[in-house]
Amino acid sequence: MKPLSAFLFTLISLNLANCQNTPLYVGTYTDGDSEGIYQVQFSTKTGALSNLKLATTISNPSYIAYSPDKRFLYAVDEGENGTVSAFKIMENGTLAFINREKTFGGAPCHISVNNEGNKLVASNYKGGNISLYDINADGSLNVASQVFDHNTDDEKSHAHSAQFFEDNLFVSDLGRNALYQYKLKESKYELESPAIIETKGNPGPRHFTITANGTYIYVINEYGCSITSIEKTDSGFKQIDEDSTLDENYKGYSSCADIHLSKDERFLYGSNRGENSIAVFKRNKENGTLEKIQNISVHGDWPRNFTPDPTGKFLLVANRKSNNISVFSINSSNGKLNFLHDFKAPTPVCLLF
C-alpha cells in the first residue's frame, strides 16, 4: 500500500471509529472518590466503554438531564440545601458552568426538561415539593417560578420524580403514595388531580415512564418492588396491572429504583437494589399489560439508574455501591438481556446519553 493510501485508510478508519462512539455522561455521589460529573465514550458497535474523564466538579450530581438540542446539561446537587445547575456542553465534552438556582427543598433527586426546552422541573425528596424553572435561550435558569408543596399535616411528602408530557406535568410522590397530574393553563401549572389512581398499602411510587401516545403510564414502586400499569381513559386514569419485579425465589431485602421502555415499546425494564437485578417484562401493546420474562444479575451492587443506548441494542446499568457500569446486549426479538462486560466508575448513579 502506498504511503498516501495508507494514510487515507488510517484516517478513514479513525473517523469511522469516532462515528461509532457516543458520549455518555455519568452523575455520581461525591461522598467517596467521585469529584462530580464524568464523561465516558461508548461504542454503539461493540458496547465498549472507554476514556473516562471528569467533565465538571460539582457536589452530589445524582441526577442529570439534557436540553432537547443537547447544547446544555442540567444537574441537581442532592444536598440539604438543594440546588440545580446549568452547564454548556463544550466541544471537548467538558461542562462549562452557566448558573445555579435554589430548589427550595432538600435533597433534590430528579430533574427533567420539557420538549420545547424552556421549562425544567426539580423534585425535592426531603422538601416534599417540586420546583419549576424557566430556561433562557442561553441555557441559564431563572429563579423558580412555581413551587408546589405536597406535604400535609398528616402526611410527609417525598417527591421523587416529575415529567412533562404535552401540557401535563406528572409527579411521583413516594411519601404520599400518589401520582399527581398538573395542567398548563395560561403559562402556569395547576393541580388537575391529587392522585390519578388509588394506591393500596405503601408501595412508594418512585419513577415512571409514559408511552409515546400518552395512553399508558408505568410506575415502579420502591417499597413494593412492583410496577403499577395505568391506562388513560376518556374519564381519567385506571390501574390495569400490578406486577412484581422480583424473582419468585428471592426472599431478601430489595427496593426498586428506575424504569424504562424499549424504543419500540414492546418491552419494559426495571431495576432492583438488593436483589441487584434488572427485571424484564414483555408488554402487550394492545392492552398495556405486562408479563415478566427475565430477572438478570447486574454484576454489581445497588443498581440505581440505567438506560438503553441510542441504538436500542444495549442497556447500561449504574451500580452505586460496586463502582461499576454494567453493559448488556438486548435481544431485539424477545427483549431479554445478556451481560457483556463492566467498566469501573466512581459511585455512578445516573447515566445520560
Side-chain angles (χ1 to χ4, degrees):
M1 186 179 289
K2 294 181 179 180
L4 180 59
S5 299
F7 172 77
L8 290 174
F9 177 79
T10 302
L11 185 62
I12 291 170
S13 298
L14 288 172
N15 285 335
L16 285 174
N18 289 333
C19 288
Q20 292 165 353
N21 281 347
T22 187
L24 172 71
Y25 285 95
V26 183
T28 68
Y29 281 117
T30 55
D31 51 359
D33 294 333
S34 173
E35 298 179 59
I37 300 171
Y38 290 80
Q39 189 203 60
V40 62
Q41 294 297 316
F42 178 75
S43 169
T44 56
K45 182 178 180 181
T46 66
L49 290 162
S50 61
N51 300 326
L52 179 74
K53 67 178 183 180
L54 182 65
T56 191
T57 301
I58 180 178
S59 175
N60 294 322
S62 64
Y63 208 90
I64 55 180
Y66 279 127
S67 62
D69 58 11
K70 293 190 176 182
R71 294 175 56 215
F72 307 106
L73 185 146
Y74 302 92
V76 300
D77 170 359
E78 193 176 329
E80 289 295 326
N81 299 311
T83 61
V84 59
S85 298
F87 298 92
K88 183 178 180 180
I89 301 173
M90 309 304 289
E91 286 188 13
N92 63 1
T94 60
L95 301 174
F97 177 75
I98 300 175
N99 78 321
R100 178 176 292 124
E101 292 293 343
K102 295 179 181 179
T103 61
F104 299 96
C109 56
H110 186 275
I111 50 174
S112 61
V113 179
N114 67 352
N115 287 336
E116 293 75 24
N118 59 7
K119 295 279 187 183
L120 180 145
V121 59
S123 302
N124 296 299
Y125 181 84
K126 287 188 177 179
N129 56 0
I130 61 167
S131 304
L132 281 158
Y133 304 82
D134 292 322
I135 301 175
N136 299 309
D138 63 357
S140 63
L141 298 168
N142 290 338
V143 175
S145 58
Q146 291 184 276
V147 178
F148 296 112
D149 189 346
H150 294 154
N151 293 288
T152 69
D153 293 336
D154 301 320
E155 291 184 299
K156 178 69 174 177
S157 169
H158 292 301
H160 217 306
S161 63
Q163 290 185 50
F164 299 96
F165 185 84
E166 296 177 348
D167 62 349
N168 297 285
L169 174 65
F170 293 99
V171 182
S172 182
D173 191 329
L174 182 144
R176 296 187 60 194
N177 292 294
L179 191 69
Y180 303 115
Q181 179 190 16
Y182 289 83
K183 279 276 191 182
L184 183 62
K185 299 178 180 179
E186 297 181 358
S187 77
K188 295 292 184 181
Y189 282 91
E190 297 180 8
L191 186 64
E192 184 80 4
S193 169
I196 65 173
I197 62 164
E198 293 293 327
T199 55
K200 297 179 181 178
N202 184 32
R206 180 183 170 100
H207 284 193
F208 58 95
T209 185
I210 307 171
T211 55
N213 63 6
T215 302
Y216 296 99
I217 302 175
Y218 298 93
V219 185
I220 196 161
N221 300 303
E222 179 171 331
Y223 303 143
C225 294
S226 62
I227 293 173
T228 302
S229 303
I230 300 169
E231 182 181 5
K232 182 181 180 182
T233 69
D234 292 338
S235 58
F237 297 87
K238 68 175 183 179
Q239 181 177 330
I240 58 171
D241 211 354
E242 187 84 18
D243 297 272
S244 172
T245 59
L246 300 176
D247 185 276
E248 60 183 10
N249 297 314
Y250 182 78
K251 304 301 180 186
Y253 172 80
S254 199
S255 64
C256 287
D258 200 14
I259 185 170
H260 290 280
L261 281 163
S262 62
K263 290 186 72 172
D264 60 10
E265 300 189 345
R266 294 169 55 217
F267 307 102
L268 184 137
Y269 304 88
S271 58
N272 292 306
R273 300 171 298 177
E275 187 184 62
N276 290 335
S277 69
I278 298 295
V280 184
F281 295 84
K282 182 180 179 181
R283 176 175 173 267
N284 186 320
K285 295 184 75 170
E286 297 299 320
N287 61 23
T289 57
L290 304 175
E291 175 192 358
K292 190 166 61 176
I293 56 175
Q294 186 185 30
N295 278 76
I296 186 170
S297 169
V298 294
H299 294 263
D301 189 6
W302 218 247
R304 181 175 168 115
N305 175 252
F306 67 93
T307 184
D309 86 308
T311 69
K313 297 188 299 184
F314 300 97
L315 187 138
L316 289 78
V317 182
N319 296 308
R320 174 183 176 181
K321 293 183 179 180
S322 53
N323 298 305
N324 68 325
I325 299 170
S326 297
V327 182
F328 298 82
S329 62
I330 302 174
N331 186 310
S332 60
S333 61
N334 62 23
K336 291 184 178 181
L337 303 178
N338 178 57
F339 175 71
L340 298 177
H341 46 252
D342 73 328
F343 181 83
K344 289 297 181 182
T347 329
V349 290
C350 187
L351 305 177
L352 180 66
F353 277 113

